[in-house]
Amino acid sequence: MHPARRLTFGDIIREHRRSFPDNVAVVDGEVRLTWPQLDERTDRLANALVARGVGPGDRILWLGQNSFRIWELLGAAAKIGAMVCPGYWRWAAPEMVFAVQDFDPAVVVWQDEEIGDTVGKARAELGDDHRALWLRHDTDGPDGYESFLAAGSPEDPAVDVDPDSALLVIYTAAITGRQSGSMLSHRNLLAMGAGAAWMGDIGTETAFLGAGPMFHIGNYQFWGVPAFVHGGKNVIARRVVAEELLPLLAAERCTHAYLMPPTIARLVALNREAGHDLSHLRASVAAPLWQGTVPTDSSRFTRNGGGEGRGYGQTEVTGFAVTGAYGGQGAGNAGRPGPFAAVRVLDGAGKECAAGEAGEICVRGDLVHLGYWNRPELNEERFRFGWWHTTDLGRREPDGTISFLGTTTRMLKSAAENIFPAEVENCIEAHPAVKEAAVIGVPNERWAQDVKAVVVLHPDADGVTAADLIGHCRERIASYKKPKTVEFVEALPRTKDFAKDYEALDDRFGGGGYPGGETLGAGR
């Protein structure tokens, strides 16, 4: 492809420097960067990385909470052809070790505050033979991120980067028992940014509070990347503390925010006394929870049900591939695909299902990711028949809309986080006292579901308690994935093909509330 026909994420920063020289690009605490400042800092960081041998296809891992530096790393990587993975800061040490070994980064940028002990345990387990350069971002010391960046040249690195190369890598929930890094390209992100901006009326005037986790695609689609692509302002919240978010929403005159329902309820309660002016904020998600304290968003996304889950997507299709914003309301609970995606509902042989017939939702187009990092066999399976296979069940309705019916693999959901039983079961079954385990979700009015483990112990296992197994999981996987409760049984029920009978377990132990069906359009 001729350079004149290429456009990358780095080019967006270069252009905004010229088009919006006085506009603020990112805000993070005391840090306020205009587009020219962001462009120069990403140039410096890119050149510093090149000086350490980082180049096209190399990888950078972030181990920390939300920060403007994730945007800088994406900008710098975009200018030299590298890719960035924002890891989950609540990972347990074994999960961090897995990510480092699997992703094999040339550089790890890490945070000491709150997670320094966990990072230290991971580094001790990795040993001295791992090749990565470790940069601490929350320090002013000579071996920190800022010193590293300052040493780079402010000149544009002028590397010819392929827009179809990977830029953002997000580790998705473990359908197969281990997480996999979904590789999103420049083209994926720019297509998503354009489509989502059209849906949500995002533009230069947008000020987005990114309070959602930056290891999750939702924070990028609603509305981080659309604001970035269109010259708006990204306001970063390191973590969700309602008492801190409320004055920030007011001071930065945020128009949009990524907030979960419990946080919205808390903000409304706090503002009854504080009285901040939030008239600029649009309620686009769970609008009734704002109790009329902020205007309801009138964009296509909100008025066609996007804020209430009317849509379907997953990380691997760069967020929503199907929403009610395209073509208006219809019989399907998810809507229709937009201009950057085509959707087919296929049977096991790759043949399109008739309208009204259930099959697997499959996608192709500019939103489909490049595949999973370091998973060639899985990629071959999921890209068969010329489509990306989502592993989710859907149906094309007679009016052309799509209904999301559930997952063909079993998924739990706690607040905004997806939990796949295979990963939790693998962790529990690693305990020497456990013969086998099954994980179900039990309804939680506030957080959607709690994880319940049903466990069979070895005959000679004496004195093992639920607390022992919960503690075992807490040390090995992120805390939100661990079981809240454990039931001990003599044997697990089995289906005719001897698989674990999850429906029987749900019936016996009160499982339910799984994402999908008519009440939730979003995938994972």
Side-chain angles (χ1 to χ4, degrees):
M1 183 186 297
H2 192 279
R5 298 181 58 236
R6 295 187 177 196
L7 187 72
T8 69
F9 201 78
D11 290 326
I12 295 296
I13 302 174
R14 294 178 175 110
E15 181 57 38
H16 287 350
R17 174 179 191 152
R18 293 160 172 81
S19 294
F20 309 114
D22 299 322
N23 287 19
V24 173
V26 293
V27 175
D28 186 350
E30 299 299 317
V31 175
R32 303 182 69 84
L33 299 177
T34 63
W35 286 105
Q37 289 170 328
L38 181 63
D39 188 45
E40 179 178 325
R41 283 179 62 87
T42 53
D43 283 342
R44 286 186 179 276
L45 182 56
N47 287 315
L49 290 167
V50 169
R52 291 299 301 248
V54 180
D58 285 329
R59 294 159 301 286
I60 302 163
L61 177 65
W62 170 271
L63 295 177
Q65 294 165 321
N66 287 0
S67 172
F68 75 100
R69 293 188 174 111
I70 297 177
W71 287 111
E72 287 188 338
L73 285 166
L74 286 169
K79 292 179 176 182
I80 61 174
M83 60 184 98
V84 178
C85 173
Y88 185 28
W89 65 274
R90 283 186 173 139
W91 273 339
E95 291 174 303
M96 286 187 182
V97 170
F98 168 79
V100 173
Q101 292 176 333
D102 185 62
F103 196 51
D104 191 24
V107 177
V108 180
V109 183
W110 65 283
Q111 177 178 313
D112 182 63
E113 185 176 357
E114 295 196 53
I115 64 170
D117 289 345
T118 305
V119 173
K121 291 176 183 177
R123 294 186 70 176
E125 186 172 339
L126 286 164
D128 297 330
D129 56 348
H130 195 271
R131 69 185 183 94
L133 168 66
W134 291 72
L135 294 171
R136 178 180 161 188
H137 95 90
D138 55 345
T139 180
D140 294 326
D143 58 347
Y145 173 97
E146 284 297 329
S147 295
F148 179 80
L149 180 150
S153 166
E155 298 299 318
D156 192 315
V159 176
D160 190 14
V161 175
D162 183 354
D164 284 319
S165 62
L167 174 58
L168 174 64
V169 179
I170 295 178
Y171 271 80
T172 63
I175 296 173
T176 60
R178 64 171 179 169
Q179 294 198 350
S180 298
S182 172
M183 297 185 292
L184 302 176
S185 69
H186 300 251
R187 189 182 303 278
N188 291 152
L189 294 173
L190 296 185
M192 176 262 276
W198 178 87
M199 289 191 292
D201 291 340
I202 304 299
T204 309
E205 73 286 353
T206 298
F208 169 64
L209 176 66
M214 294 183 75
F215 56 80
H216 192 289
I217 191 62
N219 198 72
Y220 294 96
Q221 181 165 30
F222 305 116
W223 304 91
V225 169
F228 197 94
V229 167
H230 287 268
K233 178 173 67 174
N234 269 277
V235 181
I236 292 93
R238 191 184 71 168
R239 60 181 303 168
V240 177
V241 178
E243 289 77 2
E244 297 175 1
L245 296 184
L246 180 59
L248 188 59
L249 284 166
E252 296 299 333
R253 300 188 61 80
C254 293
T255 59
H256 297 74
Y258 190 98
L259 299 166
M260 299 304 296
T263 306
I264 294 173
R266 179 62 178 157
L267 288 168
V268 171
L270 287 170
N271 207 37
R272 288 196 187 102
E273 181 175 341
H276 288 290
D277 178 11
L278 300 181
S279 60
H280 41 274
L281 185 63
R282 305 177 192 175
S284 58
V285 175
L289 290 179
W290 287 99
Q291 300 178 30
T293 59
V294 304
T296 298
D297 180 44
S298 61
S299 72
R300 298 176 182 90
F301 174 76
T302 303
R303 68 176 183 257
N304 286 310
E308 307 305 323
R310 186 177 176 82
Y312 168 78
Q314 57 181 205
T315 301
E316 295 89 336
V317 294
T318 330
F320 273 7
V322 180
T323 79
Y326 298 112
Q329 300 281 354
N333 63 13
R336 296 177 174 86
F340 296 105
V343 171
R344 296 290 184 273
V345 178
L346 302 181
D347 64 16
K351 181 181 178 181
E352 184 174 8
C353 297
E357 181 182 350
E360 185 178 8
I361 298 173
C362 299
V363 186
R364 68 165 49 154
D366 285 351
L367 295 179
V368 175
H369 74 160
L370 301 176
Y372 297 118
W373 166 257
N374 197 29
R375 303 285 189 273
E377 294 179 0
L378 181 57
N379 290 336
E380 183 177 1
E381 173 192 347
R382 298 286 292 276
F383 277 111
R384 65 190 185 278
F385 306 129
W387 293 83
W388 169 253
H389 288 246
T390 66
T391 75
D392 287 327
L393 195 67
R395 181 178 62 232
R396 177 82 70 172
E397 304 295 352
D399 66 358
T401 55
I402 301 290
S403 287
F404 168 67
L405 304 177
T407 57
T408 58
T409 57
R410 197 172 176 88
M411 183 181 78
L412 283 60
K413 200 170 191 75
S414 177
E417 299 301 335
N418 301 326
I419 303 168
F420 283 82
E423 182 182 20
V424 185
E425 290 169 1
N426 286 348
C427 181
I428 297 170
E429 290 172 352
H431 191 288
V434 174
K435 180 179 179 182
E436 60 179 351
V439 166
I440 64 173
V442 294
N444 178 302
E445 184 175 346
R446 181 179 176 87
W447 301 113
Q449 288 181 308
D450 288 333
V451 178
K452 178 184 282 291
V454 184
V455 175
V456 179
L457 297 176
H458 288 296
D460 59 348
D462 295 324
V464 176
T465 67
D468 293 333
L469 296 182
I470 292 170
H472 167 84
C473 292
R474 184 185 292 111
E475 294 175 0
R476 290 164 175 80
I477 57 177
S479 184
Y480 74 87
K481 302 175 189 174
K482 71 181 186 299
K484 289 286 185 69
T485 55
V486 178
E487 300 282 351
F488 294 97
V489 297
E490 293 296 323
L492 294 179
R494 298 285 177 177
T495 63
K496 291 181 179 179
D497 58 2
F498 205 65
K500 297 172 184 177
D501 191 340
Y502 290 98
E503 290 187 5
L505 291 170
D506 282 344
D507 290 341
R508 179 175 174 184
F509 296 108
Y514 297 98
E518 298 299 320
T519 59
L520 181 67
R524 58 186 177 279

